Amino acid sequence: MKLLVFKGGEQVQELELLPGSSYKVGRKEGSDIELEKLPGISRNHFVIESDEGGGWNLQVVSNMRMVHYRGQDCQQVHVTGNARVTLTPYEFQFLANDNMQSMTPVDEASFAPTADNFESFEDSESGDEDNQHTFIGNEEKTQIQNLNSIPYIKLVGQNGKKSEYFRLEGSLWIAGSDDNASIVLNDPQALPNHFEISKTDRGFFIADLGSTIGTQLNGQILSPRTPTQILSGDVIVVGSQSLQFELRDQSFKRKVNNIPLHMYQNPLVFFDQEVGMMTTMGEETVAGRAEEVQMDLGDDKKKKKKIWLAFAAVLVFAVAGISLLDDSSDSNKSANSESLDPFAKLDPEQKKLVVRTYNLSKNLYLNANFELALVQLQKLHSVIPEYKDSREMEEYCINSRDLKRQQALIEQQRKEQEEMEEQVQSILAQCAKQFNNSYDLDGAQACLSPAVSMDPSNPQINEILSNIKARIEERSIRMKAMKEQEERIRRGQDLFKRAKELHAKNKLHKAIEAYENHIHSGLPDPKGLVKESERNLAAIEKNIEYKKRDLVSTAISKYEGANLKEAIEIARKAQKVDPYDHTISNFILKAEKELTSKMKNIYMDSVIEERFGNLEASRTKWEEIVRQDVDGGVYHEKAKGKLKQYGF
């Protein structure tokens, strides 16, 4: 068995799992799989052990967070073949030996509701083309599946006026109501795992995962668990939630950069996604065809390029939109509309002013003088509410102005970052020189304090402090060696005294450890304290055995009487008495597994009752779970949440 570890879609570690072995996973140094120090990840988070049947057991030992497996949070996972387990932002992929050659790691979108899963942004356009919920994907001219294109999902708002785009990264995306789903569905009828979209060598495919209300693709209900090819522009509907699948051309930036300057004044410019050609033919706009550019503020080196790419895209579509509006306006004029046109009501001088101002603003716009163009458009709108496509052009000018301001802000942040780095390096150089041979740790920390406040993760800070700590430790060892002989008797007496204090406070396990430390210390013992430690140790171990035996017997009796909750609670007390007894741990795992299975069945029944509106029946089952399940149990917490949700 091989284990691949991914973070953010990239493989960060690979480990061969050997039969009969055990592997520790966590952020503790020296772990078999060492994770970063991130919120929610423990020093010892879970253990992977092989079983006699050739499979592997993953057991969470942390109290902070469980792992995610097959759409559920799990305390324990049994793996016999290929499997994928998630501990956000990490994914652990188990590969059976017989599939290692044929399988390649699947870069799924991570489940954390964080920025690693999707790169999202709001659609700045709110025209009717964004609201075509009845759009038929097969009418989309971009039907050829280009696997080099980037897949996107557009979520259409309920008011039909606002959309959000999400870029999908990886090869498999689960859509559902679960907050950890790759694509989160807001419809109340959606299941936690409702449908999935996958990328294969033959294109992209969608499959309903056996949902109750079904999944529609372009108005047709999908057969459960049957992959159906999905094309760019196809519309997915789940209840009241509408989504649109799109493929974006990765060569869009090159196409924009290759546009000759005179093309910006052509009536209309289109990009053909399949073959990368550019045409000025009149063409009906199809929903989902427009390219859109995202800005990633997290990478300074890419900020300028992405801003100008977005700027170029806005410019191209602005010209296309203005020209299209001009042509449409000219072809649809009539005598009746002229009588209602505000422009027709102006006197000749005002008409000349409007036309002159409009032409001037359009020329300024085409030459990318957006600030000046915006001034002229505002002057035009003070005379007439709208002339031709002036409102659309004004909107594009505002967007372009905002892009320039964003670029200036990014440049300012870059300069501030460079200045901060220079200050940090200056402080580090000064402190390193001042405390090169010093033992003054407090003085060094005070010297480095300004650098820590500006760049707390700088490795040079830790290096300077570590060198001082090492020198202090070396000095301490030398001084200790000089006094060691005269201190040996006193140390032995202190060990015995500490053990007696723990024993008196009934801290038995710590007392056992303290007595054993004294017995095996090898220190001089003129008063015969080692013999007394041995007698006390034997008495404690005998006492522990009696207590453990009584608790284990009671727990087994409760288990046989089907009182799983009390059996687990009593067994946990026995485990505290002797945490090193693996039979108690195995008993607890067995009882917890049975209790979880039982609570799961009751909870699933309650969910069914809830969906049919039988809240009283659901309430009875939730209260039964709260009574029977142990505190902190998965379904204990879920049932409490349901009772709180409905105010019971």
Side-chain angles (χ1 to χ4, degrees):
M1 181 75 73
K2 181 176 291 186
L3 177 62
L4 305 180
V5 184
F6 296 87
K7 181 186 177 188
E10 295 183 1
Q11 183 175 332
V12 295
Q13 195 168 351
E14 178 176 328
L15 185 66
E16 185 75 24
L17 302 181
L18 302 178
S21 301
S22 175
Y23 302 89
K24 295 181 179 180
V25 181
R27 57 185 180 87
K28 181 180 180 180
E29 293 183 2
S31 298
D32 299 293
I33 300 177
E34 188 173 340
L35 308 180
E36 293 185 12
K37 297 180 180 179
L38 299 173
I41 298 180
S42 301
R43 289 170 54 81
N44 294 309
H45 205 98
F46 62 83
V47 178
I48 303 173
E49 297 178 325
S50 65
D51 59 18
E52 297 179 354
W56 293 84
N57 290 317
L58 186 154
Q59 177 65 44
V60 177
V61 296
S62 169
N63 294 325
M64 299 183 69
R65 186 146 51 98
M66 291 183 287
V67 298
H68 199 77
Y69 177 62
R70 293 184 176 176
Q72 294 185 354
D73 290 334
C74 301
Q75 190 79 18
Q76 184 177 20
V77 177
H78 181 65
V79 179
T80 56
N82 299 317
R84 181 179 296 273
V85 179
T86 301
L87 178 63
T88 308
Y90 290 95
E91 288 185 345
F92 304 84
Q93 184 176 2
F94 293 83
L95 298 180
N97 291 331
D98 55 347
N99 288 334
M100 288 183 187
Q101 300 298 328
S102 62
M103 293 188 63
T104 56
V106 180
D107 181 14
E108 296 181 14
S110 299
F111 294 156
T114 66
D116 294 334
N117 302 336
F118 298 127
E119 185 175 349
S120 66
F121 57 93
E122 292 187 354
D123 185 4
S124 61
E125 299 180 2
S126 58
D128 292 339
E129 62 272 15
D130 284 341
N131 306 321
Q132 300 296 325
H133 291 215
T134 58
F135 172 77
I136 302 302
N138 293 334
E139 296 175 359
E140 164 69 64
K141 297 184 179 180
T142 313
Q143 292 184 357
I144 299 176
Q145 296 295 332
N146 180 5
L147 296 184
N148 292 322
S149 299
I150 300 176
Y152 285 78
I153 281 289
K154 181 170 75 171
L155 304 181
V156 181
Q158 293 182 354
N159 57 6
K161 293 295 184 180
K162 185 178 181 181
S163 302
E164 287 185 334
Y165 283 92
F166 293 92
R167 187 171 71 184
L168 305 180
E169 297 183 2
S171 301
L172 178 66
W173 307 278
I174 303 297
S177 60
D178 194 324
D179 291 339
N180 290 326
S182 304
I183 304 170
V184 178
L185 302 177
N186 294 323
D187 188 89
Q189 301 182 76
L191 295 184
N193 296 326
H194 199 95
F195 69 85
E196 69 177 19
I197 298 176
S198 59
K199 177 182 178 181
T200 71
D201 293 338
R202 296 181 292 111
F204 293 85
F205 289 82
I206 182 173
D208 182 89
L209 299 178
S211 63
T212 54
I213 64 172
T215 304
Q216 296 185 34
L217 180 66
N218 300 324
Q220 300 295 322
I221 298 293
L222 296 176
S223 299
R225 306 189 184 280
T226 302
T228 302
Q229 189 168 24
I230 184 171
L231 305 175
S232 180
D234 283 0
V235 173
I236 308 164
V237 176
V238 175
S240 61
Q241 178 74 64
S242 296
L243 309 92
Q244 187 168 351
F245 179 79
E246 294 184 3
L247 292 176
R248 305 289 183 82
D249 191 353
Q250 298 184 77
S251 61
F252 178 69
K253 177 181 177 181
R254 173 179 56 79
K255 296 175 181 178
V256 172
N257 291 335
N258 290 338
I259 301 176
L261 182 60
H262 69 274
M263 294 298 291
Y264 284 99
Q265 299 184 7
N266 283 352
L268 193 57
V269 179
F270 287 89
F271 292 104
D272 183 68
Q273 186 170 343
E274 293 79 52
V275 297
M277 299 293 290
M278 183 171 69
T279 174
T280 57
M281 294 165 51
E283 187 172 338
E284 181 181 355
T285 303
V286 181
R289 288 294 304 277
E291 294 286 354
E292 186 163 338
V293 179
Q294 301 184 60
M295 292 196 304
D296 183 1
L297 301 180
D299 190 347
D300 287 340
K301 295 182 179 179
K302 297 181 180 179
K303 288 174 181 174
K304 288 186 176 180
K305 294 182 179 180
K306 289 192 174 183
I307 287 174
W308 286 111
L309 179 58
F311 168 78
V314 170
L315 182 60
V316 169
F317 294 116
V319 176
I322 292 171
S323 301
L324 183 61
L325 289 169
D326 284 343
D327 294 340
S328 175
S329 176
D330 292 339
S331 62
N332 293 327
K333 288 183 179 179
S334 65
N336 292 334
S337 64
E338 287 181 359
S339 63
L340 300 176
D341 186 3
F343 181 78
K345 299 178 181 180
L346 300 177
D347 59 46
E349 287 300 323
Q350 289 178 319
K351 289 181 179 179
K352 290 180 181 180
L353 175 62
V354 168
V355 173
R356 184 167 60 251
T357 305
Y358 173 81
N359 291 334
L360 176 58
S361 62
K362 189 166 187 177
N363 287 332
L364 290 170
Y365 171 77
L366 293 175
N367 286 281
N369 293 325
F370 300 111
E371 292 281 0
L372 296 178
L374 190 58
V375 171
Q376 295 300 322
L377 287 169
Q378 291 172 347
K379 185 188 299 183
L380 183 149
H381 293 150
S382 67
V383 178
I384 187 172
E386 182 175 6
Y387 179 69
K388 293 187 176 180
D389 57 347
S390 62
R391 287 296 180 184
E392 287 80 0
M393 192 157 53
E394 181 182 44
E395 181 180 352
Y396 288 124
C397 287
I398 293 173
N399 291 338
S400 300
R401 178 195 62 190
D402 292 343
L403 282 173
K404 286 187 176 181
R405 291 178 179 176
Q406 184 67 32
Q407 181 191 19
L409 177 60
I410 293 171
E411 180 65 19
Q412 179 183 354
Q413 292 174 344
R414 184 189 64 79
K415 290 182 179 179
E416 291 175 353
Q417 179 68 21
E418 290 178 352
E419 292 174 357
M420 184 196 72
E421 291 175 356
E422 291 178 0
Q423 294 179 18
V424 169
Q425 290 301 319
S426 175
I427 294 171
L428 292 176
Q430 177 185 350
C431 295
K433 182 178 179 181
Q434 181 178 350
F435 295 92
N436 186 33
N437 295 308
S438 174
Y439 296 92
D440 186 3
L441 182 61
D442 292 337
Q445 289 175 335
C447 180
L448 293 169
S449 178
V452 173
S453 63
M454 290 185 285
D455 188 6
S457 61
N458 193 299
Q460 291 179 262
I461 297 174
N462 186 58
E463 181 180 355
I464 294 172
L465 296 177
S466 296
N467 290 338
I468 297 175
K469 291 177 182 178
R471 285 194 293 272
I472 294 173
E473 185 177 355
E474 290 174 1
R475 183 179 65 178
S476 176
I477 292 173
R478 290 194 302 269
M479 294 177 65
K480 184 178 179 181
M482 294 171 60
K483 299 179 180 179
E484 184 175 358
Q485 186 61 33
E486 62 185 46
E487 290 288 324
R488 287 173 61 83
I489 295 176
R490 184 186 62 79
R491 285 166 51 199
Q493 293 173 346
D494 288 345
L495 287 175
F496 178 76
K497 181 180 178 181
R498 174 62 176 165
K500 288 281 287 183
E501 290 175 352
L502 293 170
H503 193 173
K505 294 177 181 179
N506 204 32
K507 297 181 178 180
L508 301 183
H509 291 291
K510 291 186 178 180
I512 289 174
E513 184 179 356
Y515 281 129
E516 288 179 342
N517 288 340
H518 179 227
I519 293 168
H520 300 293
S521 65
L523 297 172
D525 184 28
K527 295 183 179 182
L529 299 178
V530 170
K531 290 293 184 182
E532 188 173 349
S533 290
E534 290 175 348
R535 289 193 296 270
N536 293 341
L537 179 60
I540 292 174
E541 289 177 342
K542 187 176 182 180
N543 186 24
I544 287 176
E545 184 63 27
Y546 284 148
K547 288 184 178 180
K548 181 183 71 173
R549 187 182 305 167
D550 182 58
L551 290 171
V552 169
S553 176
T554 305
I556 293 174
S557 175
K558 294 293 183 181
Y559 176 82
E560 291 174 349
N563 194 338
L564 298 176
K565 179 177 180 179
E566 289 190 27
I568 293 171
E569 291 174 344
I570 295 172
R572 287 176 178 175
K573 292 180 181 179
Q575 190 177 43
K576 289 182 179 179
V577 173
D578 187 2
Y580 305 103
D581 191 336
H582 295 293
T583 59
I584 299 176
S585 300
N586 293 334
F587 175 82
I588 292 173
L589 289 176
K590 179 181 178 181
E592 286 178 342
K593 184 176 180 181
E594 290 186 19
L595 181 59
T596 300
S597 177
K598 181 179 178 181
M599 295 301 101
K600 179 180 178 181
N601 292 334
I602 298 175
Y603 184 79
M604 295 304 294
D605 291 342
S606 73
V607 171
I608 294 174
E609 296 289 354
E610 179 187 13
R611 287 182 178 170
F612 283 99
N614 300 329
L615 291 182
E616 283 301 325
S618 298
R619 176 184 179 179
T620 301
K621 295 181 184 297
W622 293 331
E623 290 175 344
E624 181 180 356
I625 292 173
V626 172
R627 287 193 306 271
Q628 294 188 21
D629 201 1
V630 294
D631 290 344
V634 175
Y635 295 100
H636 181 273
E637 296 303 315
K638 287 186 176 182
K640 284 175 62 179
K642 287 291 187 180
L643 290 170
K644 182 178 180 181
Q645 177 183 347
Y646 289 102
F648 293 140

